[in-house]
């Protein structure tokens, strides 16, 4: 379907992802939700369709198609299954530290296999005591001859059970504030890296989220991303700027997926002698949901365009898109359950899964409270642009 807000290239990526989602993902989405097993049959289809190439630069075997095209792919996959949507998107999250900060050798070593779908990745930032306060992590990397030895733990490592490459962050300089962390490439399985727990989750159940134990994990100096210690926090933050629109796209996919089913249901469900879609109160819920999803989608696309253009507003837009789209998804998927009435609450019907899959999007890759903090910090930085308005208002007496 033609969309005048998108380029031909955008529509091609969307169509390619939609075909995989319709043919292969939706038919098995509820099976993997129940089984809580990694969907290898889908991984094979994503690989055959060349979808992993979307976020990898051309020089390293990808198509360098950028964050907007990545978002279009993620939305389509998540419209069929939120778990499989994030299972794909997390490969971008795990690869972005290399893309933004890796040395030429590191990029050449890993990215072609990421682009072909042969190397699955994960992102090891959070810890039990360091979620929103990512910089407060405790995992330690110490010099060991000309290499490093890592000890500690990682929490909420999405894809950790199946990843071939885990990007792990650790403290290399405990005395420093902004240069405290470094990031490492850890090829998996690896001696010293143990899956300590596989989480049993409310949603995104097709994709494994694990706790990792790092026990004298020895790495060569080649594993230090960027080749210099102290760059880890900056790499993590610029990675999250690029990856957050992907979470937002996952959320829109869940919302749109639920809305598709809700609209269809409302045209079929007869009460008081007519389909419930003829009731104004039902129409209002549907109309609000459609408006909110479209507004969120356009904000996500705007954020992706800022990122692809290297705009200084990328940080603010990524946070706004992530926060707005994921809050929208929670509201819309909950309203869709409401439209299904008692059936909506039952696992035989498709909408409750979208609601469960949507919930985590308000939490991971930075809670929506952190996003609002990031947005407000940007607004405060930009406030000087309003100085020319000062003459139009009296300064409060106490400040004169
Ligand atoms: N890009 C580059 N550098 C940045 C940056 C950005 N977007 N944001 C901050 N920095 C730099 C700052 O310039 C600063 O450097 P200097 O000291 O040299 O000036 C340094 O980083 C520290 O910045 P802050 O003082 O802003 O740091 P802070 O400690 O106040 O934290 C925060 C800021 C926004 C709260 C950040 O910690 C954050 O984003 N927290 C949430 C973490 C998160 O998203 N975790 C999710 C992990 S992934 C996941 O969910 C699991 C999964 O597998 C899906």
């Amino acid at each position: 379907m033609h969309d005048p807000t998108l380029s031909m290239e955008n529509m091609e990526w969307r169509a390619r992802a939609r075909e995989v989602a319709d043919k292969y993902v939706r038919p098995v989405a509820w099976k993997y939700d129940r089984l809580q097993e990694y969907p290898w049959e889908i991984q094979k289809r994503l690989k055959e369709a060349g979808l992993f190439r979307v976020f990898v630069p051309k020089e390293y075997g990808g198509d360098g198609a950028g964050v907007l095209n990545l978002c279009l792919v993620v939305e389509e996959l998540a419209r069929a299954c939120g778990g499989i949507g994030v299972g794909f998107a997390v490969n971008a999250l795990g690869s972005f530290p290399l893309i933004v900060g890796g040395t030429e050798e590191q990029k050449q070593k890993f990215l072609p296999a990421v682009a072909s779908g042969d190397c699955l990745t994960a992102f090891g930032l959070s810890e039990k005591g360091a979620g929103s306060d990512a910089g407060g992590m405790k995992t330690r990397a110490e010099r060991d001859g000309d290499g490093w030895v890592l000890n500690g733990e990682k929490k909420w490592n999405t894809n950790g059970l199946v990843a071939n490459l885990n990007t792990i962050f650790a403290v290399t300089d405990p005395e420093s504030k902004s240069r405290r962390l470094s990031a490492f490439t850890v090829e998996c399985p690896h001696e010293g890296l143990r899956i300590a727990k596989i989480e049993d989750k409310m949603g995104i159940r097709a994709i494994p989220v694990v706790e990792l134990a790092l026990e004298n994990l020895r790495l060569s100096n080649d594993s230090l991303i960027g080749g210099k210690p102290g760059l880890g926090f900056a790499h993590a933050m610029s990675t999250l700027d690029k990856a957050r629109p992907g979470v937002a796209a996952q959320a829109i996919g869940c919302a749109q997926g639920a809305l598709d089913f809700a609209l269809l249901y409302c045209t079929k469900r007869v009460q008081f002698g007519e389909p419930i879609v003829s009731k104004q109160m039902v129409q209002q819920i549907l109309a609000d949901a459609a408006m909110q999803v479209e507004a969120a989608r356009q904000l996500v696309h705007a954020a992706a365009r800022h990122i692809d253009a290297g705009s200084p507003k990328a940080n603010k837009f990524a946070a706004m898109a992530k926060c707005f789209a994921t809050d929208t998804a929670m509201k819309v998927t909950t309203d869709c359950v409401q439209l299904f009435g008692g059936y909506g609450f039952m696992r035989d019907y498709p909408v409750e899964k979208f609601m469960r899959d949507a919930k985590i999007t308000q939490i991971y890759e930075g809670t929506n409270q952190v996003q609002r903090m990031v947005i407000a910090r940007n607004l405060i930085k930009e406030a000087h642009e309003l100085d020319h308005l000062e003459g139009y208002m009296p300064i409060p007496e106490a400040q004169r």
Side-chain angles (χ1 to χ4, degrees), residues 38 67 114 144 148 211 213 224 240 267 284 289 300 314 335 342 359 370 373-374 392:
Y38 190 76
V67 173
V114 173
D144 176 42
W148 297 88
E211 195 178 301
L224 177 63
L240 288 165
T267 64
Q284 188 189 10
V300 174
D335 286 349
K359 180 59 212 173
V370 162
M373 189 175 102
V374 170
Y392 290 91

PDB file of all heavy atoms in Angstrom, residues 38 67 114 144 148 211 213 224 240 267 284 289 300 314 335 342 359 370 373-374 392:
ATOM      1  N   TYR A  38      12.858 -20.133  22.130  1.00  0.00           N
ATOM      2  CA  TYR A  38      13.329 -19.276  21.040  1.00  0.00           C
ATOM      3  C   TYR A  38      12.827 -19.808  19.690  1.00  0.00           C
ATOM      4  O   TYR A  38      13.002 -20.989  19.387  1.00  0.00           O
ATOM      5  CB  TYR A  38      14.864 -19.206  21.034  1.00  0.00           C
ATOM      6  CG  TYR A  38      15.364 -18.149  20.081  1.00  0.00           C
ATOM      7  CD1 TYR A  38      15.293 -16.807  20.416  1.00  0.00           C
ATOM      8  CD2 TYR A  38      15.859 -18.492  18.825  1.00  0.00           C
ATOM      9  CE1 TYR A  38      15.712 -15.827  19.536  1.00  0.00           C
ATOM     10  CE2 TYR A  38      16.283 -17.518  17.940  1.00  0.00           C
ATOM     11  CZ  TYR A  38      16.207 -16.189  18.301  1.00  0.00           C
ATOM     12  OH  TYR A  38      16.622 -15.225  17.422  1.00  0.00           O
ATOM     13  N   VAL A  67      17.863   3.831  10.727  1.00  0.00           N
ATOM     14  CA  VAL A  67      16.955   3.561  11.848  1.00  0.00           C
ATOM     15  C   VAL A  67      15.486   3.613  11.410  1.00  0.00           C
ATOM     16  O   VAL A  67      14.663   2.857  11.919  1.00  0.00           O
ATOM     17  CB  VAL A  67      17.262   4.531  13.021  1.00  0.00           C
ATOM     18  CG1 VAL A  67      16.239   4.402  14.134  1.00  0.00           C
ATOM     19  CG2 VAL A  67      18.665   4.255  13.570  1.00  0.00           C
ATOM     20  N   VAL A 114      26.615 -10.445  11.573  1.00  0.00           N
ATOM     21  CA  VAL A 114      25.355  -9.888  12.100  1.00  0.00           C
ATOM     22  C   VAL A 114      24.422  -9.607  10.919  1.00  0.00           C
ATOM     23  O   VAL A 114      23.245  -9.962  10.930  1.00  0.00           O
ATOM     24  CB  VAL A 114      25.610  -8.588  12.911  1.00  0.00           C
ATOM     25  CG1 VAL A 114      24.298  -7.919  13.296  1.00  0.00           C
ATOM     26  CG2 VAL A 114      26.447  -8.879  14.161  1.00  0.00           C
ATOM     27  N   ASP A 144      44.767  -7.814  33.059  1.00  0.00           N
ATOM     28  CA  ASP A 144      45.366  -9.106  33.353  1.00  0.00           C
ATOM     29  C   ASP A 144      46.396  -9.334  32.249  1.00  0.00           C
ATOM     30  O   ASP A 144      46.036  -9.766  31.152  1.00  0.00           O
ATOM     31  CB  ASP A 144      44.267 -10.178  33.324  1.00  0.00           C
ATOM     32  CG  ASP A 144      44.818 -11.575  33.528  1.00  0.00           C
ATOM     33  OD1 ASP A 144      45.691 -11.740  34.398  1.00  0.00           O
ATOM     34  OD2 ASP A 144      44.378 -12.491  32.795  1.00  0.00           O
ATOM     35  N   TRP A 148      42.099  -8.753  29.865  1.00  0.00           N
ATOM     36  CA  TRP A 148      41.191  -8.304  30.933  1.00  0.00           C
ATOM     37  C   TRP A 148      40.549  -9.515  31.599  1.00  0.00           C
ATOM     38  O   TRP A 148      40.351 -10.552  30.964  1.00  0.00           O
ATOM     39  CB  TRP A 148      40.070  -7.446  30.331  1.00  0.00           C
ATOM     40  CG  TRP A 148      40.570  -6.194  29.695  1.00  0.00           C
ATOM     41  CD1 TRP A 148      40.985  -6.050  28.400  1.00  0.00           C
ATOM     42  CD2 TRP A 148      40.716  -4.915  30.313  1.00  0.00           C
ATOM     43  NE1 TRP A 148      41.384  -4.752  28.173  1.00  0.00           N
ATOM     44  CE2 TRP A 148      41.223  -4.023  29.325  1.00  0.00           C
ATOM     45  CE3 TRP A 148      40.462  -4.412  31.600  1.00  0.00           C
ATOM     46  CZ2 TRP A 148      41.478  -2.675  29.590  1.00  0.00           C
ATOM     47  CZ3 TRP A 148      40.716  -3.074  31.850  1.00  0.00           C
ATOM     48  CH2 TRP A 148      41.225  -2.225  30.859  1.00  0.00           C
ATOM     49  N   GLU A 211      19.781 -13.904  33.257  1.00  0.00           N
ATOM     50  CA  GLU A 211      20.743 -13.290  34.176  1.00  0.00           C
ATOM     51  C   GLU A 211      22.072 -13.984  33.876  1.00  0.00           C
ATOM     52  O   GLU A 211      22.104 -15.199  33.684  1.00  0.00           O
ATOM     53  CB  GLU A 211      20.269 -13.629  35.589  1.00  0.00           C
ATOM     54  CG  GLU A 211      20.888 -12.843  36.677  1.00  0.00           C
ATOM     55  CD  GLU A 211      20.254 -13.273  38.013  1.00  0.00           C
ATOM     56  OE1 GLU A 211      19.020 -13.158  38.182  1.00  0.00           O
ATOM     57  OE2 GLU A 211      21.017 -13.765  38.857  1.00  0.00           O
ATOM     58  N   ALA A 213      26.193 -14.721  34.926  1.00  0.00           N
ATOM     59  CA  ALA A 213      27.249 -14.645  35.945  1.00  0.00           C
ATOM     60  C   ALA A 213      28.585 -14.591  35.214  1.00  0.00           C
ATOM     61  O   ALA A 213      28.852 -15.405  34.323  1.00  0.00           O
ATOM     62  CB  ALA A 213      27.183 -15.868  36.847  1.00  0.00           C
ATOM     63  N   LEU A 224      38.119  -5.106  23.755  1.00  0.00           N
ATOM     64  CA  LEU A 224      37.741  -3.810  24.329  1.00  0.00           C
ATOM     65  C   LEU A 224      37.200  -2.924  23.201  1.00  0.00           C
ATOM     66  O   LEU A 224      37.953  -2.533  22.288  1.00  0.00           O
ATOM     67  CB  LEU A 224      38.980  -3.175  24.970  1.00  0.00           C
ATOM     68  CG  LEU A 224      38.818  -1.791  25.568  1.00  0.00           C
ATOM     69  CD1 LEU A 224      37.826  -1.799  26.716  1.00  0.00           C
ATOM     70  CD2 LEU A 224      40.176  -1.267  26.041  1.00  0.00           C
ATOM     71  N   LEU A 240      21.773   3.631  23.019  1.00  0.00           N
ATOM     72  CA  LEU A 240      20.363   3.709  23.430  1.00  0.00           C
ATOM     73  C   LEU A 240      19.614   4.777  22.613  1.00  0.00           C
ATOM     74  O   LEU A 240      18.447   4.590  22.271  1.00  0.00           O
ATOM     75  CB  LEU A 240      20.263   3.964  24.935  1.00  0.00           C
ATOM     76  CG  LEU A 240      20.660   2.735  25.780  1.00  0.00           C
ATOM     77  CD1 LEU A 240      20.906   3.116  27.235  1.00  0.00           C
ATOM     78  CD2 LEU A 240      19.599   1.629  25.708  1.00  0.00           C
ATOM     79  N   THR A 267     -16.793  -5.502  14.416  1.00  0.00           N
ATOM     80  CA  THR A 267     -17.703  -5.609  13.263  1.00  0.00           C
ATOM     81  C   THR A 267     -18.469  -6.932  13.281  1.00  0.00           C
ATOM     82  O   THR A 267     -19.474  -7.080  12.600  1.00  0.00           O
ATOM     83  CB  THR A 267     -16.944  -5.503  11.908  1.00  0.00           C
ATOM     84  OG1 THR A 267     -16.056  -6.605  11.808  1.00  0.00           O
ATOM     85  CG2 THR A 267     -16.183  -4.203  11.790  1.00  0.00           C
ATOM     86  N   GLN A 284     -15.912   5.507  19.687  1.00  0.00           N
ATOM     87  CA  GLN A 284     -15.001   6.479  20.310  1.00  0.00           C
ATOM     88  C   GLN A 284     -13.681   5.812  20.715  1.00  0.00           C
ATOM     89  O   GLN A 284     -12.604   6.353  20.495  1.00  0.00           O
ATOM     90  CB  GLN A 284     -15.666   7.130  21.522  1.00  0.00           C
ATOM     91  CG  GLN A 284     -14.821   8.259  22.053  1.00  0.00           C
ATOM     92  CD  GLN A 284     -15.304   8.808  23.377  1.00  0.00           C
ATOM     93  OE1 GLN A 284     -16.190   8.237  24.025  1.00  0.00           O
ATOM     94  NE2 GLN A 284     -14.725   9.913  23.786  1.00  0.00           N
ATOM     95  N   ALA A 289      -8.053   5.172  19.624  1.00  0.00           N
ATOM     96  CA  ALA A 289      -6.908   4.260  19.480  1.00  0.00           C
ATOM     97  C   ALA A 289      -6.215   4.497  18.145  1.00  0.00           C
ATOM     98  O   ALA A 289      -4.976   4.600  18.086  1.00  0.00           O
ATOM     99  CB  ALA A 289      -7.389   2.810  19.591  1.00  0.00           C
ATOM    100  N   VAL A 300       7.659   8.465  16.032  1.00  0.00           N
ATOM    101  CA  VAL A 300       8.767   7.495  15.923  1.00  0.00           C
ATOM    102  C   VAL A 300       9.513   7.715  14.607  1.00  0.00           C
ATOM    103  O   VAL A 300      10.753   7.727  14.575  1.00  0.00           O
ATOM    104  CB  VAL A 300       8.244   6.045  16.023  1.00  0.00           C
ATOM    105  CG1 VAL A 300       9.362   5.050  15.762  1.00  0.00           C
ATOM    106  CG2 VAL A 300       7.643   5.803  17.401  1.00  0.00           C
ATOM    107  N   ALA A 314      18.539  14.315  18.226  1.00  0.00           N
ATOM    108  CA  ALA A 314      18.246  12.875  18.217  1.00  0.00           C
ATOM    109  C   ALA A 314      17.961  12.337  19.620  1.00  0.00           C
ATOM    110  O   ALA A 314      17.031  11.551  19.813  1.00  0.00           O
ATOM    111  CB  ALA A 314      19.409  12.120  17.583  1.00  0.00           C
ATOM    112  N   ASP A 335      -7.298  -0.963  26.045  1.00  0.00           N
ATOM    113  CA  ASP A 335      -8.628  -0.629  25.514  1.00  0.00           C
ATOM    114  C   ASP A 335      -9.127  -1.721  24.571  1.00  0.00           C
ATOM    115  O   ASP A 335     -10.339  -1.993  24.504  1.00  0.00           O
ATOM    116  CB  ASP A 335      -8.596   0.721  24.778  1.00  0.00           C
ATOM    117  CG  ASP A 335      -8.497   1.898  25.749  1.00  0.00           C
ATOM    118  OD1 ASP A 335      -8.662   1.676  26.975  1.00  0.00           O
ATOM    119  OD2 ASP A 335      -8.247   3.028  25.300  1.00  0.00           O
ATOM    120  N   GLY A 342     -15.391  -9.936  28.086  1.00  0.00           N
ATOM    121  CA  GLY A 342     -14.886 -11.109  28.809  1.00  0.00           C
ATOM    122  C   GLY A 342     -13.942 -11.942  27.953  1.00  0.00           C
ATOM    123  O   GLY A 342     -12.949 -12.498  28.445  1.00  0.00           O
ATOM    124  N   LYS A 359       3.644  -4.235  27.770  1.00  0.00           N
ATOM    125  CA  LYS A 359       3.990  -3.670  29.093  1.00  0.00           C
ATOM    126  C   LYS A 359       5.488  -3.393  29.239  1.00  0.00           C
ATOM    127  O   LYS A 359       5.895  -2.332  29.712  1.00  0.00           O
ATOM    128  CB  LYS A 359       3.503  -4.606  30.213  1.00  0.00           C
ATOM    129  CG  LYS A 359       3.800  -4.111  31.627  1.00  0.00           C
ATOM    130  CD  LYS A 359       3.170  -2.742  31.924  1.00  0.00           C
ATOM    131  CE  LYS A 359       4.010  -1.932  32.882  1.00  0.00           C
ATOM    132  NZ  LYS A 359       3.531  -0.545  33.063  1.00  0.00           N
ATOM    133  N   VAL A 370      12.732   7.631  33.090  1.00  0.00           N
ATOM    134  CA  VAL A 370      14.050   8.091  32.606  1.00  0.00           C
ATOM    135  C   VAL A 370      13.892   8.886  31.303  1.00  0.00           C
ATOM    136  O   VAL A 370      14.535   9.922  31.106  1.00  0.00           O
ATOM    137  CB  VAL A 370      15.035   6.897  32.418  1.00  0.00           C
ATOM    138  CG1 VAL A 370      16.209   7.268  31.525  1.00  0.00           C
ATOM    139  CG2 VAL A 370      15.540   6.405  33.769  1.00  0.00           C
ATOM    140  N   MET A 373      12.885  12.319  32.035  1.00  0.00           N
ATOM    141  CA  MET A 373      14.024  13.058  32.582  1.00  0.00           C
ATOM    142  C   MET A 373      14.933  13.533  31.437  1.00  0.00           C
ATOM    143  O   MET A 373      15.374  14.692  31.416  1.00  0.00           O
ATOM    144  CB  MET A 373      14.783  12.100  33.507  1.00  0.00           C
ATOM    145  CG  MET A 373      15.841  12.704  34.328  1.00  0.00           C
ATOM    146  SD  MET A 373      16.451  11.374  35.408  1.00  0.00           S
ATOM    147  CE  MET A 373      17.942  10.982  34.557  1.00  0.00           C
ATOM    148  N   VAL A 374      15.179  12.648  30.471  1.00  0.00           N
ATOM    149  CA  VAL A 374      16.035  12.999  29.322  1.00  0.00           C
ATOM    150  C   VAL A 374      15.378  14.130  28.520  1.00  0.00           C
ATOM    151  O   VAL A 374      16.043  15.095  28.116  1.00  0.00           O
ATOM    152  CB  VAL A 374      16.285  11.755  28.427  1.00  0.00           C
ATOM    153  CG1 VAL A 374      16.959  12.133  27.118  1.00  0.00           C
ATOM    154  CG2 VAL A 374      17.106  10.708  29.166  1.00  0.00           C
ATOM    155  N   TYR A 392       8.324  40.069  26.935  1.00  0.00           N
ATOM    156  CA  TYR A 392       6.859  39.986  26.904  1.00  0.00           C
ATOM    157  C   TYR A 392       6.248  39.627  28.258  1.00  0.00           C
ATOM    158  O   TYR A 392       5.047  39.532  28.381  1.00  0.00           O
ATOM    159  CB  TYR A 392       6.412  38.934  25.877  1.00  0.00           C
ATOM    160  CG  TYR A 392       6.662  39.347  24.446  1.00  0.00           C
ATOM    161  CD1 TYR A 392       7.847  39.011  23.825  1.00  0.00           C
ATOM    162  CD2 TYR A 392       5.715  40.092  23.747  1.00  0.00           C
ATOM    163  CE1 TYR A 392       8.096  39.390  22.520  1.00  0.00           C
ATOM    164  CE2 TYR A 392       5.949  40.474  22.444  1.00  0.00           C
ATOM    165  CZ  TYR A 392       7.134  40.123  21.825  1.00  0.00           C
ATOM    166  OH  TYR A 392       7.369  40.500  20.546  1.00  0.00           O
TER     167      TYR A 392
END
